[in-house]
Amino acid sequence: AYALLRHFMWSSCRLNDHWFQDQPAICAAVGIPFEEDDTTRPEADAQLKCNICFDDLPRNSMRTTSFCQHFFCTTCWTGYVHAGIQDGPGCLNLRCPFPDCKMMVGDSIISEMASKDEKDKYARFKMRSYVEDNKRLKWCPAAGCSYAVEVNGSETSTGPQDVGCKCGNSFCWECREEAHRPVPCE
C-alpha cells in the first residue's frame, strides 16, 4: 500500500481512479506483481548462486524481495541497501538488483539488511516523501522547526491562506512567507 500511495503522491482518490482503470500497468510502474507468484521456492537446504558475487551458498544465507525469485547473499544485499540509502531519497525506489528486474525492494529487506542509522535515515526519507509529495502538507518555514502543517479545506486554494504551526509560527500557505492575508502574495 505504501508504494502505491507514494506513486500517486499520497492521494488515495487518484490511486483508486487509476487502479480500476489499469491494474497491471499500475503494478508494473510501482514494481509489484499483478498476480500471485506461484513459483515454488527452493528447499531450505538447497545451494544457490548469489546473482551478484556468484558464490554458492545455502538457501538460508540468501534473500530475495517479496516479489521475485532472484536470490542474493546477505553480504551483497547489505552492500546494495547501504549504497542505496547513502545515495539519498532515491532509495525509496530501490528495485531488485537483478538485471532487468523491476520488482521493488520492500521494507522487509531494508529492515533486515540496514544498520540502525540507515533505518533511521530511510524512515526520514519516507517522512519527507509523505510531506513533500502531499498537496495538503508543507514543512513549517520557521528556523529550527521540524513540524509539518496540514492545510484545511480545498487542495486548490484561490489566494493566500494563513496557517499556524505547533511551534507558534504563522505563515502563508501559498508563498510560505509571514502570514499576510488578505494581501496577495508578492
Side-chain angles (χ1 to χ4, degrees):
Y2 160 78
L4 289 167
L5 283 168
R6 186 169 178 278
H7 182 77
F8 286 100
M9 310 295 272
W10 302 98
S11 171
S12 57
C13 292
R14 285 186 60 220
L15 168 58
N16 281 332
D17 290 347
H18 287 84
W19 181 256
F20 292 108
Q21 289 177 6
D22 194 356
Q23 292 175 14
I26 300 303
C27 289
V30 173
I32 58 175
F34 175 62
E35 296 175 345
E36 282 293 316
D37 183 6
D38 59 357
T39 309
T40 55
R41 295 227 178 227
E43 295 294 324
D45 61 347
Q47 287 283 116
L48 300 173
K49 186 177 292 294
C50 173
N51 286 301
I52 294 176
C53 68
F54 302 109
D55 285 348
D56 288 317
L57 297 165
R59 163 67 178 90
N60 63 0
S61 298
M62 308 287 273
R63 300 292 180 274
T64 184
T65 72
S66 302
F67 308 118
C68 68
Q69 294 292 314
H70 301 124
F71 286 88
F72 307 97
C73 70
T74 55
T75 302
C76 290
W77 265 121
T78 299
Y80 183 70
V81 167
H82 170 77
I85 292 172
Q86 294 311 310
D87 282 348
C91 68
L92 299 176
N93 297 318
L94 274 183
R95 303 298 173 150
C96 170
F98 192 81
D100 297 327
C101 183
K102 305 288 188 231
M103 292 295 115
M104 71 177 289
V105 173
D107 284 352
S108 61
I109 291 284
I110 302 294
S111 62
E112 184 179 353
M113 301 299 159
S115 68
K116 182 185 179 330
D117 288 344
E118 290 168 339
K119 289 176 198 174
D120 292 345
K121 194 173 188 179
Y122 185 76
R124 285 192 303 274
F125 288 144
K126 284 173 89 171
M127 175 60 75
R128 277 183 34 201
S129 166
Y130 180 71
V131 173
E132 292 167 9
D133 293 344
N134 192 324
K135 292 180 181 180
R136 297 181 52 83
L137 294 170
K138 287 187 182 177
W139 294 110
C140 175
C145 182
S146 60
Y147 290 118
V149 178
E150 184 174 16
V151 70
N152 294 320
S154 170
E155 286 186 17
T156 55
S157 176
T158 57
Q161 181 176 0
D162 295 342
V163 295
C165 178
K166 277 184 175 182
C167 74
N169 182 46
S170 292
F171 64 97
C172 172
W173 180 261
E174 297 301 314
C175 66
R176 295 185 61 210
E177 297 294 331
E178 186 176 315
H180 57 78
R181 191 173 159 203
V183 177
C185 301
E186 286 177 16

